[in-house]
Amino acid sequence: MKEQLSLLDDLSQYRNAEEMSTYYKFIIDQAKKDSVTSRLLLLKKGRFKEFCEEFTPAYIFSMSTFFPKGAQLKVVLGNQGYDFLMKKTDGAVEKFEVSSYIDGQEDTKISQKLNEVGRWQSRLSSLESLEEKRNIFLEKTKQNIIKKSQKNYDDVTLIFSTTIFTLEPLPENHEYLLQEKIIEYIKETTFHAKGVYLITDNGDAIEHSAAHMLRIK
């Protein structure tokens, strides 16, 4: 296990968009080849937690249209009020904080990428239980948005990351879309931040999340 945990010893260093992609794919590939690495990743043990919750959103950002050409990103370990840095070609450095309501029953994009190791299967049993889960998710997400709005992020850009594919397998079955509600919550909330972005994981490839990343404020 020590060998697998050491895979992320160099997690916190500046990388350009191409290097972010190479590093992400290398870790995912290692997890597909090795069951111990796969388990550490799925359980978010050690620095695999930061890989899932900080590096992966940073990687998605690096693929989006909002990422400046030639810029570099670096995940910053520890509790300092932000999760990663962006260094532009002119030397300017910007701070980013990633935030999400994490439900322990939700599967992440990482687990989807590991279908060869263990396939994801929905645990939803009925439309009624699904609606209940959606309501809980929205309420917890709204509470998280409000919590972030009460902090001073004047020199930090916020990225809200949401995973909805287990809650919206068939969007046409619902009166509203979760993403629309979350966007509404963010728009009606006042933040002390440089900007606010939204990443939505709806079960498609990670490139889809990057292509549909939104700047709300």
Side-chain angles (χ1 to χ4, degrees):
M1 183 178 294
K2 185 176 180 180
E3 178 184 350
Q4 286 83 2
L5 288 170
S6 68
L7 286 172
L8 294 172
D9 282 351
D10 58 349
L11 178 65
S12 182
Q13 68 179 46
Y14 276 111
R15 294 180 173 88
N16 59 31
E18 182 178 352
E19 291 166 338
M20 292 287 289
S21 178
T22 299
Y23 191 76
Y24 176 84
K25 292 175 181 177
F26 168 74
I27 297 300
I28 296 299
D29 187 56
Q30 292 300 306
K32 289 178 179 179
K33 294 177 180 178
D34 177 59
S35 61
V36 176
T37 303
S38 173
R39 183 171 177 80
L40 290 171
L41 185 58
L42 292 172
L43 296 178
K44 300 181 181 179
K45 296 294 185 180
R47 289 185 179 175
F48 284 98
K49 177 178 173 63
E50 286 81 6
F51 177 82
C52 293
E53 298 179 3
E54 298 174 15
F55 183 90
T56 299
Y59 171 48
I60 291 173
F61 177 59
S62 75
M63 291 189 289
S64 75
T65 58
F66 304 108
F67 188 65
K69 184 177 180 179
Q72 296 179 310
L73 297 178
K74 174 185 177 181
V75 169
V76 181
L77 305 176
N79 300 315
Q80 60 286 308
Y82 55 90
D83 293 316
F84 66 88
L85 299 172
M86 177 175 69
K87 183 167 63 176
K88 297 182 178 179
T89 54
D90 62 1
V93 176
E94 297 185 11
K95 302 172 184 176
F96 290 78
E97 167 80 352
V98 181
S99 181
S100 62
Y101 159 62
I102 300 175
D103 187 333
Q105 293 185 344
E106 289 183 15
D107 291 273
T108 65
K109 179 64 66 182
I110 297 300
S111 63
Q112 265 201 316
K113 289 289 184 180
L114 297 173
N115 278 339
E116 294 85 349
V117 178
R119 292 187 177 278
W120 171 81
Q121 294 182 348
S122 175
R123 290 180 287 270
L124 302 174
S125 58
S126 68
L127 187 59
E128 288 76 17
S129 65
L130 177 56
E131 288 305 316
E132 183 179 358
K133 289 175 185 291
R134 283 163 59 86
N135 290 334
I136 293 172
F137 172 81
L138 281 176
E139 181 58 31
K140 294 293 186 180
T141 298
K142 187 173 184 178
Q143 290 176 12
N144 183 54
I145 290 171
I146 293 173
K147 179 180 177 180
K148 288 297 179 181
S149 74
Q150 295 171 341
K151 295 184 178 182
N152 183 0
Y153 288 107
D154 285 343
D155 63 341
V156 179
T157 297
L158 289 173
I159 298 178
F160 287 101
S161 179
T162 60
T163 301
I164 66 172
F165 66 87
T166 61
L167 300 171
E168 209 163 75
L170 297 172
E172 62 271 18
N173 285 344
H174 307 288
E175 294 182 3
Y176 59 86
L177 296 179
L178 291 171
Q179 186 187 52
E180 292 178 354
K181 285 289 186 181
I182 295 169
I183 291 173
E184 180 182 318
Y185 293 159
I186 294 175
K187 284 184 174 180
E188 67 185 20
T189 303
T190 300
F191 295 90
H192 304 284
K194 290 184 65 175
V196 182
Y197 291 84
L198 176 64
I199 293 174
T200 302
D201 176 5
N202 67 351
D204 290 325
I206 195 169
E207 292 80 7
H208 182 274
S209 294
H212 293 81
M213 184 174 180
L214 299 173
R215 176 159 190 168
I216 313 299
K217 290 177 177 285

